[in-house]
Amino acid sequence: MTNGPLELFNLAGRRALITGSGRGIGLALARGLARAGAAVVINARDHESAGAALSLLREEGLDATAALFDVTQANDVAAAVDALEAQTGPIDILVNNAGIQRRALLESFAARDWSELMSVNLDGVFHVSQAVARHMLQRARGKIINICSVQSELARPTIAPYAATKGAVRMLTKGMCADWARHGIQVNAIAPGYFATDLNRTLVDDREFSAWLCKRTPAGRWGDVDELCGAAVFLASDASSFVNGQTLFVDGGLTSVV
């Protein structure tokens, strides 16, 4: 007797590393993957946020551990991934979620802020993916999910450097597919629209912007972070075994209309 189609989405027996998962979208994705059966590894740079996220998931009876490292430090990333593989078990799923935002007019954007954005949002994806993929390549299987943005496709004033990083991550997703798909690794991306998170707190609290956004978005509202979990489970599971190099926009229709 064959398993039903829902079994394709079952993540039992798999381990997922989610970077930047101490809060916000990362934590929501970790919870969603864990609820689908995965053992999740919370990642953050500090004990406080990692510990709080870990406690939250474990209180729900979910299988979760933590790994502290900074995605911008290539040597630390490689050491942490090697340690996880040796001590905890194979990383079957990687979600590259760690990211930051900096806002300023482009003509006055600080070089230091530009470098920091590139280091976290783009270099971090490269460092972690490379470290994890080296193990996945040996096993000839694995799932990598990069977190892009509607700014991978659209620009807005004051965030051109952020948009540049997210556009680059979208193309890096395609490049990873080009190099690694033949080795049994699926690399895809999720591009969230506007979700009410700490990263967007300034915009959430701006009544004028929120009114504009709700009018601009066909769904007529901000997204809830839990609404990203279905896309993540799909891309992390056997249901997406022949999906590769794609970016799935979860944006309430924002990028579909003018």
Side-chain angles (χ1 to χ4, degrees):
M1 183 176 182
T2 59
N3 293 321
L6 291 181
E7 189 60 27
L8 291 172
F9 297 88
N10 189 348
L11 300 181
R14 303 183 193 185
R15 181 168 289 99
L17 168 63
I18 306 94
T19 67
S21 48
R23 60 182 181 176
I25 286 176
L27 178 55
L29 294 177
R31 180 189 286 111
L33 294 177
R35 286 176 174 174
V40 298
V41 181
I42 294 294
N43 161 254
R45 290 181 293 184
D46 62 277
H47 286 277
E48 185 176 356
S49 58
L54 201 58
S55 296
L56 189 64
L57 295 183
R58 286 178 172 174
E59 285 173 3
E60 295 185 29
L62 301 174
D63 188 344
T65 56
L68 299 180
F69 60 84
D70 184 337
V71 299
T72 69
Q73 303 301 309
N75 291 337
D76 292 347
V77 168
V81 168
D82 288 348
L84 281 170
E85 287 272 341
Q87 299 168 14
T88 308
I91 299 170
D92 305 292
I93 302 158
L94 167 63
V95 181
N96 283 304
N97 169 76
I100 60 172
Q101 174 67 288
R102 297 288 183 269
R103 293 183 175 87
L105 293 173
L106 190 57
E107 64 269 24
S108 57
F109 206 92
R112 181 178 64 183
D113 288 340
W114 169 275
S115 296
E116 189 177 10
L117 274 170
M118 292 295 163
S119 182
V120 177
N121 294 4
L122 180 57
D123 296 352
V125 174
F126 168 72
H127 295 322
V128 183
S129 296
Q130 186 182 64
V132 171
R134 285 171 175 160
H135 293 276
M136 289 180 171
L137 289 168
Q138 295 175 9
R139 295 187 287 267
R141 59 180 172 82
K143 298 277 191 173
I144 297 176
I145 304 169
N146 297 324
I147 303 303
C148 290
S149 168
V150 290
Q151 267 71 57
S152 298
E153 179 74 13
L154 304 172
R156 283 189 57 251
T158 75
I159 59 168
Y162 176 83
T165 65
K166 291 302 183 178
V169 170
R170 187 178 184 187
M171 284 307 303
L172 183 57
T173 300
K174 293 177 181 289
M176 290 177 180
C177 167
D179 277 10
W180 296 337
R182 65 184 180 275
H183 299 293
I185 300 173
Q186 288 88 55
V187 188
N188 294 287
I190 297 172
Y194 284 87
F195 286 76
T197 66
D198 289 341
L199 193 67
N200 280 329
R201 180 52 52 193
T202 301
L203 299 179
V204 174
D205 293 339
D206 185 331
R207 291 186 179 181
E208 183 178 354
F209 180 85
S210 285
W212 171 84
L213 176 67
C214 291
K215 184 177 180 180
R216 172 69 177 79
T217 304
R221 61 178 175 84
W222 287 83
D224 183 282
V225 290
D226 288 338
E227 292 177 294
L228 292 165
C229 293
V233 171
F234 167 63
L235 293 177
S237 71
D238 290 341
S240 59
S241 61
F242 202 55
V243 179
N244 224 325
Q246 303 302 306
T247 299
L248 175 56
F249 284 82
V250 184
D251 62 359
L254 180 66
T255 54
S256 296
V257 300
V258 294

